[in-house]
């Protein structure tokens, strides 16, 4: 079994792509500063992008020769024209399908189109494609729209996106899939669903959250020789387990349970004891020294299922705990309300989740030493808005939550976001198999265990997110559909011991 764990983790770590994340305007600024510093025109970057795309496509689809390259009216389309010229030079059969006539283009995009035509290439307008009898492509390349998409796509662009998605062949997106808002990750109506995306200069923050995770496919990155300048701060940071696992150093030989933290979890109302049990088990597996559960008094003791989970007897001095968790299975009745108010009066660090967050939405307050872990529905209640408004810009939403409530906020979902005030981290580990009950309870338990062992709140939330997502990805080797929260527990233990 140990070898199975090791082999699975080794395969997973080979996919690491931890990088700074940028907003679209930051990328444009980096390009302009590079051109000024090097004394070169920006067209040089378009040439480099086209060459990188040609090499990339030939590497991943070496047997393909009929390429349909959809080009738009901007520099993304210019990259496509350069790619077409280079592909034709290699003896391939690129078909350029344009959303705008080459003569109407401007700047570097127009130059790229003119050089394509001068090399003997031709252009088919997108509205002519439906009436053609061309052989089907072997590869579709999306160079239609770039990072400037801010409004819903026009009917003609929507039709072009549908055509790209409907060919039944691999799709390579140039820089990012057409229709994706590079800053928020929302689809602006239609969205290209790429097989692979080759992005340039830096990874755009919207590519790894919200709708971006459905559009991007496999992501690769080419800086094109442009590096960030000293002092330039990215919009966010992508985190993953391989990048952070070095923080999980072995314990001192003299360690004992009293030094590894004492966690008290409150929740487990009648009919919902499974939530607090999962959170407690994850807390144990993530290394907390001692764990107690405060459940509804009529609930059966968790020790019947997990002997190491202690109860919370009446009259126990709750200052015993170094960290509290409040919310898993808490409920919305009078017992739950009393537990909520009582726990929030305690000064110890707190992880607040599930119904704990729903109670907080009814009685907002600000605190510096807690970690909030809302999903989009809970975030909407905390902000007094709709789920659609949260998902429209998850980066803005997590920042608003942190300003309003303080501490560290982890906004769960596809591309979970962690905001501690000055910085935002994005964890894109995890998979659709996590769309089942109990997954969030595990996360609360992991974060609490890390807090109890001494990690600061921001790092405990980051480490908790990557361990949680990595465990889910490893557990999903047996299939995403039907994966249970409890399937992650053995992996959690293995992941918090990366050097053992």
């Amino acid at each position: 079994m140990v070898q199975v764990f090791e082999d699975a983790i080794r395969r997973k770590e080979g996919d690491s792509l931890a990088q700074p994340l940028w907003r679209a305007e930051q990328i444009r600024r980096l390009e302009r500063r590079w051109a000024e510093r090097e004394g070169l025109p920006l067209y040089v970057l378009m040439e480099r992008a086209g060459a990188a795309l040609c090499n990339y496509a030939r590497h991943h689809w070496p047997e393909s020769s009929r390429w349909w390259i959809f080009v738009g009216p901007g520099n993304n389309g210019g990259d496509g024209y350069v790619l077409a010229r280079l592909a034709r030079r290699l003896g391939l059969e690129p078909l350029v399908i344009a959303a705008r006539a080459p003569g109407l283009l401007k700047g570097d995009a127009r130059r790229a189109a003119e050089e394509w035509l001068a090399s003997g290439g031709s252009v088919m307008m997108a509205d002519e494609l439906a009436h053609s009898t061309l052989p089907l492509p072997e590869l579709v390349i999306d160079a239609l729209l770039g990072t400037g998409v801010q409004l819903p796509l026009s009917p003609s662009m929507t039709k072009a996106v549908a055509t790209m998605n409907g060919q039944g062949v691999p799709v390579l997106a140039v820089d990012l899939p057409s229709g994706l808002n590079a800053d928020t990750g929302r689809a602006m109506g239609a969205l290209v669903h790429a097989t692979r995306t080759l992005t340039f200069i830096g990874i755009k923050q919207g590519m790894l959250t919200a709708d971006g995770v459905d559009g991007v496919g496999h992501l690769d990155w080419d800086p094109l020789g442009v590096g960030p300048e000293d002092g330039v701060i990215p919009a966010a940071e992508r985190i993953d387990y391989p990048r952070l696992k070095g923080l999980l150093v072995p314990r001192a030989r003299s360690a004992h349970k009293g030094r590894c933290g004492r966690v008290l979890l409150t929740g487990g109302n009648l009919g919902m004891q499974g939530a607090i049990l999962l959170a407690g088990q994850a807390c144990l597996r993530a290394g907390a020294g001692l764990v107690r559960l405060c459940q509804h008094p009529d609930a059966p003791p968790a020790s019947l299922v997990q002997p190491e989970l202690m109860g919370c007897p009446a009259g126990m001095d709750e200052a015993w705990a170094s960290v509290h968790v409040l919310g898993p299975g808490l409920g919305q009745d009078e017992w739950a309300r009393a537990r909520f108010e009582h726990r929030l009066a305690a000064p110890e660090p707190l992880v607040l989740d599930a119904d704990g967050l729903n109670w907080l939405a009814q009685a907002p307050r600000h605190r510096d030493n807690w970690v909030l872990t809302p999903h989009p529905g809970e975030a909407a209640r905390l902000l007094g808005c709709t789920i659609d408004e949260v998902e429209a810009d998850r980066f803005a939403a997590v920042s608003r939550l942190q300003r309003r409530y303080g501490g560290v906020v982890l906004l769960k979902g596809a591309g979970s976001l962690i905001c501690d005030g000055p910085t935002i981290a994005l964890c894109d580990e995890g998979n659709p198999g996590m769309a089942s009950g109990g997954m969030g309870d595990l996360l609360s338990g992991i974060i609490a265990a890390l807090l109890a062992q001494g990690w600061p709140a921001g790092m405990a939330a980051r480490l908790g997110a990557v361990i949680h997502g990595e465990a889910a990805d490893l557990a999903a080797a047996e299939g995403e559909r039907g994966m249970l929260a409890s399937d992650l527990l053995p992996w959690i233990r293995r992941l918090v011991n990366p050097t053992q």
Side-chain angles (χ1 to χ4, degrees):
M1 178 61 74
V2 171
Q3 187 61 47
V4 171
F5 280 132
E6 294 289 356
D7 291 346
I9 291 172
R10 192 174 297 111
R11 289 194 299 272
K12 188 72 169 57
E13 288 180 1
D15 296 332
S16 176
L17 186 69
Q19 295 291 339
L21 304 177
W22 307 90
R23 296 178 67 87
E25 178 52 40
Q26 289 181 297
I27 295 292
R28 289 189 283 270
R29 194 179 305 128
L30 288 171
E31 291 174 341
R32 291 193 298 268
R33 290 180 178 175
W34 173 86
E36 293 168 0
R37 185 172 63 250
E38 299 295 325
L40 294 171
L42 285 172
Y43 190 73
V44 170
L45 295 182
M46 190 171 286
E47 288 277 357
R48 290 181 183 178
L53 287 163
C54 192
N55 291 334
Y56 188 86
R58 291 290 286 162
H59 174 75
H60 289 289
W61 298 283
E63 303 302 319
S64 67
S65 60
R66 288 194 306 277
W67 295 359
W68 284 10
I69 306 175
F70 287 75
V71 296
N75 285 344
N76 199 251
D79 295 342
Y81 278 112
V82 174
L83 167 62
R85 173 164 49 84
L86 297 177
R88 187 170 184 272
R89 187 182 299 170
L90 292 173
L92 304 178
E93 305 172 43
L95 172 65
V96 174
I97 303 166
R100 182 176 295 178
L104 299 178
L105 302 181
K106 297 179 181 179
D108 289 340
R110 179 163 185 152
R111 176 179 172 182
E114 289 173 346
E115 292 191 2
W116 160 245
L117 295 171
S119 72
S122 61
V123 172
M124 171 180 283
M125 298 306 297
D127 56 7
E128 299 173 359
L129 187 60
H131 308 292
S132 70
T133 57
L134 294 167
L136 293 176
E138 296 168 330
L139 175 66
V140 167
I141 297 169
D142 166 28
L144 194 64
L145 298 169
T147 59
V149 176
Q150 300 291 329
L151 298 173
L153 270 58
S154 67
S156 62
M157 290 294 184
T158 298
K159 184 177 180 180
V161 167
T163 300
M164 284 188 276
N165 287 337
Q167 297 305 311
V169 300
V171 178
L172 168 61
V174 175
D175 203 24
L176 80 166
S178 289
L180 184 68
N181 185 306
D183 293 336
T184 68
R186 286 311 298 266
M188 307 308 292
L191 174 66
V192 165
H193 289 261
T195 309
R196 306 184 78 96
T197 297
L198 180 60
T199 198
F200 300 123
I201 311 300
I203 299 174
K204 292 74 182 170
Q205 66 176 21
M207 302 180 80
L208 299 177
T209 193
D211 299 317
V213 301
D214 289 321
V216 166
H218 183 96
L219 176 62
D220 285 304
W221 163 67
D222 191 322
L224 303 181
V226 179
E229 298 176 342
D230 291 341
V232 178
I233 299 173
E237 177 192 10
R238 180 180 187 265
I239 58 174
D240 60 11
Y241 176 78
R243 180 63 61 96
L244 296 184
K245 69 173 185 174
L247 297 172
L248 297 161
V249 296
R251 287 175 172 172
R253 298 295 299 169
S254 60
H256 57 76
K257 62 189 177 187
R259 289 183 179 175
C260 295
R262 300 178 302 277
V263 181
L264 177 60
L265 299 95
T266 300
N269 209 328
L270 293 178
M272 296 184 286
Q273 299 96 318
I276 199 74
L277 175 61
L278 285 167
Q281 289 175 311
C283 195
L284 288 170
R285 289 302 187 185
L290 294 165
V291 180
R292 289 184 181 272
L293 304 187
C294 177
Q295 304 183 89
H296 191 283
D298 295 332
S303 58
L304 295 176
V305 178
Q306 187 75 54
E308 297 85 357
L309 288 173
M310 298 180 288
C312 181
M316 188 194 83
D317 180 6
E318 294 179 7
W320 167 90
S322 55
V323 174
H324 289 272
V325 176
L326 175 61
L330 181 64
Q332 290 283 305
D333 60 8
E334 184 57 30
W335 178 84
R337 186 199 64 76
R339 291 298 90 204
F340 172 79
E341 294 294 344
H342 182 71
R343 284 290 175 266
L344 258 62
E348 289 81 18
L350 173 66
V351 179
L352 199 61
D353 186 27
D355 277 323
L357 297 169
N358 293 329
W359 283 108
L360 180 63
Q362 298 177 40
R365 60 203 76 186
H366 190 283
R367 184 165 167 172
D368 292 330
N369 68 333
W370 60 11
V371 178
L372 311 182
T373 62
H375 59 53
E378 292 157 348
R381 287 188 282 277
L382 289 166
L383 292 172
C385 65
T386 66
I387 295 175
D388 283 345
E389 287 173 312
V390 170
E391 293 290 79
D393 191 338
R394 289 169 53 80
F395 294 92
V398 76
S399 294
R400 287 174 59 202
L401 285 165
Q402 198 283 327
R403 289 194 300 270
R404 181 172 298 185
Y405 293 97
V408 177
V409 179
L410 193 162
L411 178 58
K412 295 181 286 197
S416 292
L417 303 178
I418 302 115
C419 181
D420 58 10
T423 63
I424 296 177
L426 185 153
C427 173
D428 66 331
E429 296 189 272
N431 59 79
M434 300 173 79
S436 63
M439 290 291 177
D441 303 314
L442 296 180
L443 179 61
S444 295
I446 296 168
I447 294 172
L450 295 168
L451 283 169
Q453 292 169 81
W455 276 278
M459 186 51 67
R462 286 167 168 78
L463 275 170
V466 301
I467 291 167
H468 186 236
E470 185 88 357
D473 285 345
L474 293 166
E478 297 182 23
E480 292 178 355
R481 188 174 285 112
M483 187 170 71
L484 304 180
S486 56
D487 294 335
L488 276 59
L489 290 169
W491 291 106
I492 292 168
R493 182 187 180 191
R494 181 63 188 85
L495 292 168
V496 296
N497 295 285
T499 60
Q500 297 178 5

